[in-house]
Amino acid sequence: PGGVAPVQDKAAAVSPQPVAAARGRPSPPGKGGLVVVVVAVVVVMAVPVPVVVIVAVVGLGPGGAEAVPVPSIHAMQSARTVVLRTAKHPGIEVLHQKGVVFETTDDLYDRSDAFEELYRAIAERVIARTQALGDVVYAVPGHPLFGERSVAELLRLAQAKGISTEVVGATDFIAATLEALGLPFDGHLQILNAYDPESVRLDPRAPIIVYQLDSVEAASEVKLTLMEILPDDHPVHIVTAGCEPAEIR
């Protein structure tokens, strides 16, 4: 009497009184009963963490392995996918040495009929890789923000699609050219794209740097443009190889 009888089988443990206790009605004083303690179970739902989709644009510098910035190398080593605009760059060897695996967009040059089409195709490929993998580095010669229309198109497309971007700089071809020529700069400097010579109104009183001069057709267009403002015997320096031992003619 007054105690709890041993439970002989599992069915005996189920009685109206324990249920009443569970509903907040305790057993009368002095009466034996089975006390049921109800513990609230809190279910914690996992909230998905949004995946940050980002494309990093890095510069390889204007020349050889020594010009490739360390931050650019680190960014490429930690990325899931590395896309190079072109493998035709003297700094490529250092990427092999550092174990960087990459793909290039050199194949798009042969498929595109115009540069605007090429830049758009490059940007779309990089964006597609980014959307699929979430962590892509796009590497270009020189500084990403100097004379790189593919980068401009990529940044525009990334913003339109809500993709975060990061730019890792490098030495640009302008600084490398001035260094190769040993010319201090203080004043007005004009930068001309050889494939778009009409885009800039040139001033014959200020120095002019022409870049993308990589074909006979481009050189011919630039020559005609310069002849409109400069005398035929005006001196011109041709600098090749950037930060490699520069060849100046």
Side-chain angles (χ1 to χ4, degrees):
V4 178
V7 178
Q8 299 299 324
D9 56 54
K10 295 183 180 179
V14 181
S15 66
Q17 184 170 324
V19 174
R23 292 177 180 173
R25 298 190 315 210
S27 301
K31 299 289 185 178
L34 180 66
V35 178
V36 178
V37 179
V38 179
V39 179
V41 179
V42 179
V43 179
V44 179
M45 302 296 293
V47 179
V49 178
V51 177
V52 178
V53 180
I54 185 170
V55 54
V57 185
V58 307
L60 298 176
E66 70 279 3
V68 181
V70 173
S72 295
I73 294 176
H74 288 169
M76 289 183 282
Q77 287 175 324
S78 61
R80 292 184 180 180
T81 301
V82 176
V83 181
L84 269 57
R85 178 170 67 77
T86 178
K88 299 176 182 179
H89 187 277
I92 293 299
E93 185 58 34
V94 72
L95 304 188
H96 294 301
Q97 294 172 359
K98 299 296 183 178
V100 176
V101 178
F102 57 83
E103 59 182 272
T104 78
T105 63
D106 285 325
D107 61 298
L108 296 179
Y109 282 79
D110 298 330
R111 304 180 194 174
S112 304
D113 297 325
F115 278 103
E116 293 305 320
E117 178 185 342
L118 170 65
Y119 301 142
R120 185 170 56 254
I122 291 174
E124 290 174 350
R125 174 178 290 186
V126 176
I127 289 296
R129 297 287 193 274
T130 304
Q131 291 175 323
L133 303 173
D135 181 15
V136 172
V137 165
Y138 176 55
V140 298
H143 192 291
L145 302 182
F146 279 86
E148 279 291 338
R149 291 191 179 180
S150 66
V151 172
E153 180 66 18
L154 174 60
L155 296 178
R156 183 197 65 79
L157 189 57
Q159 182 180 21
K161 294 184 175 294
I163 296 176
S164 299
T165 57
E166 177 186 358
V167 176
V168 179
T171 301
D172 57 84
F173 67 87
I174 300 172
T177 299
L178 295 176
E179 181 180 344
L181 293 173
L183 295 177
F185 169 67
D186 181 18
H188 183 44
L189 180 64
Q190 302 172 100
I191 310 300
L192 178 65
N193 186 342
Y195 283 93
D196 193 11
E198 302 298 327
S199 62
V200 179
R201 180 173 295 180
L202 297 174
D203 183 349
R205 298 169 298 177
I208 303 169
I209 292 181
V210 182
Y211 68 99
Q212 302 275 51
L213 197 61
D214 55 8
S215 70
V216 174
E217 293 77 12
S220 177
E221 289 296 325
V222 169
K223 176 183 176 181
L224 294 176
T225 299
L226 295 179
M227 287 178 65
E228 294 177 1
I229 64 169
L230 299 172
D232 293 346
D233 59 350
H234 190 82
V236 174
H237 296 288
I238 299 177
V239 182
T240 60
C243 285
E244 293 286 287
E247 178 185 352
I248 304 174
R249 294 178 285 167

